[in-house]
Amino acid sequence: MEELDVEPAITNIPAASDGKHLGFAWGPGDILAYETLYMAPGAKGSGCSFIHEVRKDEDIYSPILRKLFNESHHIFVGLQTIREDLPSKNKKTQFVSISKNYRSVIRACMEELQQVAASVLVLQVSILLAIELIWNLCEVLFIDAAPAGPLLLHLLDWVRLHKGDVDEKAREVLQSESPAEHHDYWDVVVSYVLQGRFEEARQMLVKQATLQPAARNMYKLMDTLLSKMPFYNPGGTQTLTEFDVKWRHWHEEVDRCLQDNSFASNQHLEIICKILVGDEDTLLEHKELLSTWYHFLVTRLLFCHPTVKPTELHYYAQSCMTMFLDLRSVPEPLDSILLAAFEFDIHQVIKDCSIALNNWWFVAHLTDLLDHCKLLQSHNLHFGSNLREFLLLEYASGLFTHHSLWQLAVDYFDNCPEFGHVYLELQIERVPLDTERKALKVLRICEQRQMSEQVRSICKIMAMRALRNNRLGSALSWSIRAKDAAFATLISERFLQDYCARGTFSDLDLIDNLGPAMLLSDRLTFLVKYREFHKLYEENRFSEAAKLLLSLITAKIAPRSFWMTLLTDALPLLEQKECNVVVYLLLELGDMEKI
Amino acid sequence: MCRTDRVPTAGILWLALVVIMFVARSIAADHKDLIHDVSYDFHGRRMATCSSDQSVKVWDRSENGEWHCTASWKTHSGSVWRVTWAHPEFGQVLASCSFDRTAAVWEEIVGESNDKQRGLSHWIKRTTLVDSRTSVTDVKFAPKHMGLMLTTCSADGVVRIYEAPDVMNLSQWSLQHEISCKLSCSCISWNPSSSRAHPPMFAVGSDDSNVTYGGKVQIYEYNENTRKYAKAETLMTVTDAVHDIAFAPNLGRSFHVLAIATKDVRIFKLVPMRSDRKESTSTGPTKLEVQIVAQFDNHNSQVWRVSWNITSTLLASSGDDGCVRLWKANYMDNWKCTGILKGDGSPLTSSSGQPTAMSTIVGSSVQTSQNALNGMSAGR
């Protein structure tokens, strides 16, 4: 498969001069570049060097693109849930509807971008325009897969949608004092005819006819021709063959008018007649009005071959492109992409789009939709995945570096059965845990997917951070959540040390309500029980307190370092007449000392 | 479906729309000499820089994206070559290595509240590792599942692996392994895979310029039975000095990918040959089949650094031509250069943050598109 060979784009780094090296460091969503010199131990460098943050251009458009990403995410998730067992006719309708949804989201984004007047955005708007144009054609050819007959009608719609300047011009003409004398009048009429919009063409012509009563018959004839052109009705009872016959009759009639010189005295009507008969030269004389080779293609099909079959398209497409483009002008990537579409070479379309557009959003979503329509043959890629997954992974990975869009990426990874899980594991770890709330959000996602190692790691990071900032309670809850016994022990030690130093406990709420979590580590259990001892004592439940104290010793979970403290705690109990307990305590301790 | 001959596509006009990157921000680093390394922390919110001015600086990124220097201190008595962050599970920990033959470990101390208000933090030295007799050229932490382990390599050809058994006491490090590679070492890279199918593995590169000494990249693997690292492979086809080396993050693959910066950029695939680990006795390290995946000499001469992005979908390299190049593989595993960063010596203007390349190029397709767009909302 030959490839669009695209030269890599060069980004200039200011203040980094010739003869110096450029160091770099990968970051989330960017790359840092700085001037340096490698392996020159003696070399002296400049004092004040800069570190440059280099980003992808998409970042500028983020605020508006964000809506595109959010809404398309919604459509994407819905698409994944379409049941496999639906009859194919129902599925096709749904797929077409989803395709239209995607396109309306693109158009909405474009309109928003247009509101923001900035030269830089003009380029982004062009990209979206091209995307929508390509997507629309793919919808017509691949998803809707219209057969001969409806095919041309869909292509006409496609062209009309992407050549809206006609309406603007028409508005201007109609709003003028004398529309029929406006300098753009005939351009509008011809444009309507070229787009097969005969109703509107006829209405415009009426205005001219009223101005030229002498030529009334000619205008009447033209009006008749225009009104009689057959258009295939997909919902009707007429077969394609019947339509074809009718159309040929009409075509012959138009041709007769030409031969008869019926319009010879009116150059404009003569031109329209030639267009109706499908005269190539006349069509090509109106390149400016057609403006693109694919408009030329559809117009030519309309007037020469309205029953064109999908399989015949590429012959016409290739020849129209050749005829329309100058010998000098070089076809642009958009042209190759559209041509590949007319050739029904889906893989080439996707490939060329990935290269030319550098926009993963488009190829990822379109490919996913085409895959659902079962239109992609599965290629065995070198690492065992497929094209759809490759593109979705690329797109979603890009989302992950956004501070809020990363959550959308999760759903995409979920729907990549081969590598989605491992990609998610790798990237979700890097989401900065700026706040507890964010950390909990990330945790929930990991817990839902049984990503136990990531859960443990995130909790450990949070526990460590809390410990460094001396927030023992927070550190303890995080280590419990991490099921990190060693860390829990460490933190319990700190609590106990704190107690020894200050005589009080901190974070009582937490400790009192741990429940079974206290069993995570011996030290933690001791901490909880020891606090319980103090509570009992404060509530004057001395007998229970004493018993608890004793059990702490006998169960051997009291750390040795704490025995003195325990003894000191026990002394007041003597006053409470729990002498027995104290004696037992001393005996126990004595025994343990000997061991 | 027969295809007509494809018209050759230059695609030049549309390339304008393909401009990938721009300089969003420039930070005045304020080092008094050359910067040798810049390292992001795990979450990309902090970075560390080190320089020939013997200091390390730590920078924090605020919510609006601005970088502030929160610490700057002298770390060594010679040029500092590399600086690296430990995994945040171990707290805020940095390691640096220097021409002064030492490596050091630093920990951030949560300071007084007025320090915090002024946006400053303190880093204290936890340990100095003085075992090397020559310049320490690289320092890297091992993957976190191995615990808190630090690796250094030196011009004396020795790789040293240290461990801090008590994560809460960073002043205690013990030298666990001392591996003599026989050739002066310039770089190390750990295989980040934590899969049980792969025992711990690292690669060492040598910048020894004598081409008769054979392979300049050695791969070592840990053996559970001997409790030692043994050489698994030497890449004999790499005979020129190696300046940097980087294992790619493993995305569930059964093989390893290694990028090398030498007189060109090379990407190798290392495929473990032994499938049944259960049979492994102390017969030695896994046999690796070495395949070269790609080789690029666009830098024209020496390549100094290579590094993978997080998902291993992009490789960046820096070379003698003063450029940073970005390499990407398409889904057919064909590698291509997708972007270049080049110093242009132009003065830094205050209007950084605008995509400079974009305003200069406008394709003809844009004009047509603009016209079409004007009518877009009118249609349908």
Side-chain angles (χ1 to χ4, degrees):
Chain A
M1 265 204 245
E2 41 164 307
E3 274 211 346
L4 251 179
D5 208 8
V6 166
E7 280 297 307
I10 298 181
T11 306
N12 288 316
I13 309 293
S17 44
D18 260 335
K20 286 280 171 64
H21 293 137
L22 213 55
F24 65 90
W26 280 111
D30 65 3
I31 184 168
L32 299 177
Y34 56 94
E35 189 186 283
T36 185
L37 261 183
Y38 291 112
M39 284 301 136
K44 266 294 166 194
S46 59
C48 182
S49 38
F50 285 89
I51 298 172
H52 309 277
E53 212 180 274
V54 181
R55 295 193 158 269
K56 291 190 97 175
D57 59 359
E58 285 164 7
D59 288 353
I60 331 170
Y61 322 122
S62 306
I64 296 170
L65 281 188
R66 197 170 301 163
K67 231 183 164 184
L68 176 73
F69 297 149
N70 268 304
E71 287 175 13
S72 59
H73 163 260
H74 190 66
I75 302 172
F76 171 83
V77 170
L79 171 58
Q80 309 311 309
T81 60
I82 288 184
R83 286 168 41 211
E84 282 291 314
D85 54 352
L86 278 180
S88 52
K89 203 176 89 167
N90 297 2
K91 275 204 267 192
K92 175 146 111 158
T93 328
Q94 279 199 287
F95 289 146
V96 171
S97 157
I98 285 172
S99 179
K100 292 197 196 305
N101 282 345
Y102 273 127
R103 287 195 298 118
S104 69
V105 165
I106 298 172
R107 283 202 297 276
C109 185
M110 256 194 291
E111 275 163 47
E112 259 199 70
L113 278 177
Q114 254 214 312
Q115 305 297 336
V116 184
S119 61
V120 134
L121 291 181
V122 165
L123 266 58
Q124 183 64 25
V125 165
S126 319
I127 296 177
L128 285 178
L129 209 82
I131 285 173
E132 209 273 342
L133 178 76
I134 299 167
W135 193 309
N136 197 342
L137 184 61
C138 289
E139 180 187 301
V140 166
L141 297 176
F142 307 144
I143 303 174
D144 215 340
L151 176 59
L152 178 66
L153 298 175
H154 285 144
L155 287 175
L156 262 180
D157 277 341
W158 176 64
V159 157
R160 286 173 190 162
L161 189 59
H162 295 92
K163 192 88 185 63
D165 62 345
V166 176
D167 292 299
E168 211 179 279
K169 233 192 247 176
R171 252 196 309 274
E172 211 184 281
V173 166
L174 289 170
Q175 281 167 5
S176 71
E177 283 225 15
S178 178
E181 290 171 323
H182 194 283
H183 62 88
D184 277 340
Y185 171 83
W186 283 111
D187 275 353
V188 171
V189 175
V190 172
S191 296
Y192 277 144
V193 173
L194 290 171
Q195 286 192 7
R197 291 161 75 173
F198 294 156
E199 222 11 83
E200 286 137 304
R202 289 167 64 199
Q203 281 171 14
M204 286 291 269
L205 281 172
V206 161
K207 299 197 193 306
Q208 189 67 237
T210 49
L211 277 187
Q212 300 180 34
R216 201 183 44 208
N217 285 340
M218 251 202 303
Y219 280 92
K220 191 110 206 316
L221 179 59
M222 178 53 77
D223 189 71
T224 311
L225 286 179
L226 287 172
S227 67
K228 277 167 68 179
M229 170 156 168
F231 276 88
Y232 182 71
N233 181 0
T237 50
Q238 185 188 53
T239 67
L240 195 65
T241 326
E242 287 166 0
F243 162 76
D244 197 32
V245 166
K246 245 188 116 184
W247 182 81
R248 279 179 202 285
H249 278 155
W250 175 85
H251 192 266
E252 276 159 24
E253 202 181 320
V254 178
D255 199 30
R256 261 198 304 277
C257 292
L258 254 186
Q259 307 304 328
D260 287 348
N261 289 321
S262 311
F263 299 107
S265 55
N266 185 322
Q267 124 201 69
H268 295 287
L269 292 181
E270 175 91 343
I271 285 174
I272 292 174
C273 190
K274 284 191 177 161
I275 289 174
L276 291 180
V277 93
D279 181 54
E280 261 170 34
D281 293 326
T282 316
L283 288 178
L284 284 170
E285 277 163 26
H286 290 88
K287 266 196 196 175
E288 247 192 66
L289 292 183
L290 289 169
S291 76
T292 60
W293 64 269
Y294 39 92
H295 188 337
F296 172 54
L297 165 68
V298 175
T299 302
R300 189 166 160 232
L301 289 171
L302 173 65
F303 295 119
C304 300
H305 195 31
T307 54
V308 63
K309 296 206 264 287
T311 48
E312 296 168 330
L313 269 181
H314 73 281
Y315 292 118
Y316 290 99
Q318 180 65 77
S319 68
C320 282
M321 191 166 98
T322 315
M323 278 191 265
F324 192 88
L325 294 178
D326 274 10
L327 284 167
R328 288 163 302 143
S329 74
V330 179
E332 298 171 359
L334 176 61
D335 298 324
S336 342
I337 293 168
L338 293 175
L339 197 61
F342 285 121
E343 293 175 0
F344 285 82
D345 192 347
I346 297 181
H347 284 96
Q348 192 67 29
V349 170
I350 295 171
K351 209 156 74 88
D352 285 351
C353 286
S354 322
I355 297 170
L357 292 175
N358 196 39
N359 179 325
W360 295 116
W361 178 88
F362 169 48
V363 284
H365 288 89
L366 179 63
T367 307
D368 174 58
L369 181 55
L370 293 174
D371 191 57
H372 274 93
C373 299
K374 301 268 187 286
L375 291 170
L376 293 181
Q377 306 150 336
S378 59
H379 275 184
N380 221 2
L381 302 183
H382 81 288
F383 50 87
S385 180
N386 59 38
L387 182 60
R388 167 191 172 270
E389 208 174 284
F390 175 84
L391 295 172
L392 286 175
L393 291 172
E394 285 285 341
Y395 170 67
S397 298
L399 278 184
F400 236 102
T401 55
H402 270 267
H403 61 92
S404 61
L405 293 175
W406 62 270
Q407 294 167 78
L408 303 181
V410 177
D411 284 314
Y412 288 94
F413 286 135
D414 281 345
N415 284 291
C416 292
E418 287 261 5
F419 289 97
H421 192 81
V422 67
Y423 264 73
L424 181 61
E425 278 180 1
L426 205 62
Q427 295 187 73
I428 203 157
E429 282 189 327
R430 301 274 184 163
V431 175
L433 308 166
D434 304 314
T435 58
E436 276 224 4
R437 202 160 139 252
K438 195 164 180 198
L440 288 171
K441 213 184 262 191
V442 177
L443 269 182
R444 216 174 307 125
I445 291 171
C446 295
E447 279 162 356
Q448 282 166 355
R449 289 158 182 79
Q450 284 89 46
M451 292 160 67
S452 46
E453 168 52 32
Q454 281 67 31
V455 170
R456 187 209 59 79
S457 182
I458 290 165
C459 291
K460 184 63 184 283
I461 293 171
M462 297 302 284
M464 197 55 158
R465 192 187 291 176
L467 185 63
R468 285 179 65 238
N469 287 289
N470 229 17
R471 289 180 284 119
L472 294 182
S474 180
L476 185 60
S477 3
W478 283 114
S479 25
I480 290 172
R481 195 155 178 175
K483 297 197 182 39
D484 192 333
F487 216 57
T489 300
L490 204 133
I491 296 169
S492 307
E493 286 272 333
R494 285 281 193 92
F495 268 112
L496 293 168
Q497 283 165 20
D498 252 11
Y499 169 75
C500 288
R502 296 184 306 161
T504 51
F505 287 103
S506 59
D507 299 281
L508 289 175
D509 265 343
L510 175 66
I511 300 177
D512 287 343
N513 293 297
L514 278 180
M518 74 162 114
L519 298 172
L520 181 62
S521 96
D522 272 356
R523 192 68 87 252
L524 179 60
T525 316
F526 173 72
L527 171 67
V528 174
K529 289 292 173 190
Y530 186 57
R531 152 71 192 152
E532 206 182 302
F533 161 73
H534 277 276
K535 236 168 83 181
L536 289 171
Y537 193 90
E538 279 161 31
E539 289 167 7
N540 294 340
R541 291 151 71 181
F542 301 118
S543 159
E544 289 167 73
K547 288 207 186 84
L548 179 55
L549 196 61
L550 186 59
S551 70
L552 285 178
I553 304 280
T554 50
K556 295 186 171 52
I557 62 167
R560 205 186 192 94
S561 54
F562 232 71
W563 288 353
M564 269 319 292
T565 318
L566 289 178
L567 272 177
T568 323
D569 288 332
L571 289 175
L573 287 174
L574 285 169
E575 291 176 31
Q576 304 301 329
K577 301 187 174 59
E578 301 294 330
C579 315
N580 289 346
V581 174
V582 177
V583 169
Y584 286 136
L585 203 81
L586 284 169
L587 287 173
E588 271 294 328
L589 281 174
D591 262 341
M592 285 168 76
E593 265 292 342
K594 281 192 216 133
I595 295 167
Chain B
M1 214 61 34
C2 73
R3 281 181 45 188
T4 54
D5 278 325
R6 181 57 49 80
V7 178
T9 56
I12 297 167
L13 293 172
W14 263 60
L15 278 175
L17 308 176
V18 172
V19 167
I20 298 171
M21 299 178 134
F22 71 106
V23 178
R25 187 178 271 116
S26 296
I27 308 137
D30 251 344
H31 275 288
K32 297 184 180 47
D33 204 329
L34 281 176
I35 298 175
H36 289 291
D37 200 13
V38 171
S39 177
Y40 261 108
D41 81 332
F42 188 74
H43 289 120
R45 283 287 202 257
R46 315 186 81 182
M47 75 170 165
T49 61
C50 67
S51 160
S52 269
D53 70 3
Q54 303 175 1
S55 75
V56 165
K57 288 181 195 274
V58 172
W59 307 75
D60 283 28
R61 200 207 295 254
S62 63
E63 287 213 5
N64 63 0
E66 297 285 325
W67 288 96
H68 303 280
C69 181
T70 53
S72 174
W73 73 103
K74 180 161 144 73
T75 47
H76 291 275
S77 52
S79 291
V80 188
W81 300 129
R82 307 258 198 169
V83 66
T84 185
W85 295 82
H87 193 277
E89 271 187 40
F90 303 113
Q92 297 296 301
V93 177
L94 279 174
S96 60
C97 68
S98 162
F99 182 71
D100 72 358
R101 308 191 302 269
T102 69
V105 178
W106 311 88
E107 188 174 13
E108 187 181 38
I109 295 302
V110 176
E112 304 295 307
S113 49
N114 33 332
D115 275 340
K116 263 213 184 118
Q117 274 165 6
R118 285 185 303 160
L120 295 176
S121 69
H122 292 284
W123 291 76
I124 67 172
K125 185 190 290 203
R126 287 305 190 195
T127 193
T128 312
L129 305 170
V130 297
D131 304 275
S132 175
R133 284 164 298 144
T134 56
S135 172
V136 183
T137 49
D138 200 359
V139 64
K140 292 271 177 8
F141 284 100
K144 70 167 153 80
H145 67 270
M146 292 168 61
L148 187 54
M149 295 185 74
L150 189 66
T151 324
T152 60
C153 70
S154 311
D156 65 7
V158 181
V159 170
R160 294 179 175 87
I161 304 180
Y162 301 86
E163 183 175 13
D166 180 3
V167 162
M168 297 312 295
N169 179 4
L170 294 184
S171 38
Q172 295 300 325
W173 292 80
S174 69
L175 176 59
Q176 300 282 70
H177 304 276
E178 216 165 6
I179 298 150
S180 175
C181 303
K182 310 234 176 6
L183 297 171
S184 149
C185 302
S186 60
C187 49
I188 5 166
S189 174
W190 279 96
N191 186 339
S193 166
S194 59
S195 142
R196 274 191 212 103
H198 305 137
M201 176 193 283
F202 67 88
V204 197
S206 165
D207 57 351
D208 188 304
S209 47
N210 190 329
V211 295
T212 57
Y213 279 156
K216 298 288 162 47
V217 174
Q218 299 171 37
I219 317 273
Y220 287 87
E221 193 183 68
Y222 186 71
N223 185 316
E224 298 285 346
N225 299 308
T226 62
R227 307 269 205 91
K228 284 198 190 335
Y229 281 88
K231 195 189 303 201
E233 188 65 49
T234 306
L235 301 186
M236 295 308 296
T237 54
V238 184
T239 51
D240 296 275
V242 169
H243 307 295
D244 201 8
I245 197 165
F247 268 107
N250 188 318
L251 284 142
R253 296 183 291 238
S254 59
F255 55 89
H256 315 294
V257 176
L258 184 65
I260 295 172
T262 170
K263 72 171 198 288
D264 49 30
V265 176
R266 276 184 229 182
I267 304 177
F268 285 93
K269 189 165 146 175
L270 307 170
V271 188
M273 304 279 268
R274 213 166 37 194
S275 50
D276 190 355
R277 290 289 302 166
K278 284 207 198 105
E279 283 178 7
S280 77
T281 50
S282 45
T283 47
T286 324
K287 276 242 162 307
L288 294 170
E289 185 197 323
V290 179
Q291 300 167 13
I292 184 143
V293 168
Q295 193 162 351
F296 311 111
D297 56 7
N298 307 58
H299 284 290
N300 292 331
S301 183
Q302 298 300 316
V303 181
W304 294 99
R305 288 286 172 95
V306 281
S307 174
W308 297 92
N309 71 345
I310 293 169
T311 47
S312 75
T313 49
L314 276 175
L315 176 70
S317 63
S318 172
D320 258 348
D321 61 347
C323 292
V324 172
R325 282 164 196 275
L326 303 174
W327 310 94
K328 184 171 181 57
N330 69 3
Y331 58 82
M332 298 309 287
D333 208 22
N334 294 324
W335 288 84
K336 265 201 155 104
C337 180
T338 64
I340 303 174
L341 306 183
K342 189 175 173 56
D344 69 352
S346 67
L348 195 61
T349 60
S350 55
S351 63
S352 58
Q354 280 304 305
T356 49
M358 297 186 101
S359 46
T360 54
I361 313 165
V362 172
S364 71
S365 45
V366 178
Q367 221 26 63
T368 339
S369 314
Q370 191 58 39
N371 292 339
L373 180 64
N374 293 337
M376 267 305 281
S377 33
R380 185 59 63 89

